Amino acid sequence: MSTATPVITKNTARHVLWHYGADGGMQPGRGTQTLMVAIDAADMVGVERLRLGFPELVGAMLTAKNDIGGVEQLQKIAGAA
């Protein structure tokens, strides 16, 4: 399984920023909100399973959550920085 992060789109970056309460965020629909809560709550096995169906969203959330400067990176993608 590839662990490469797919290209993160502007809307996905905005949704993840909203989820984490960061500047530049935009509230997504209820389904995406619920999915982000599930990704946040999942253990690493669950996260990898969710990545199979939602690679961009999981990649963006892990970027914000785990990477030094990840929120700033998403803000640049979102056009908020």
Side-chain angles (χ1 to χ4, degrees), residues 29-43:
R30 184 173 173 185
T32 301
Q33 288 178 40
T34 303
L35 183 56
M36 289 190 297
V37 169
I39 293 166
D40 239 358
D43 61 15

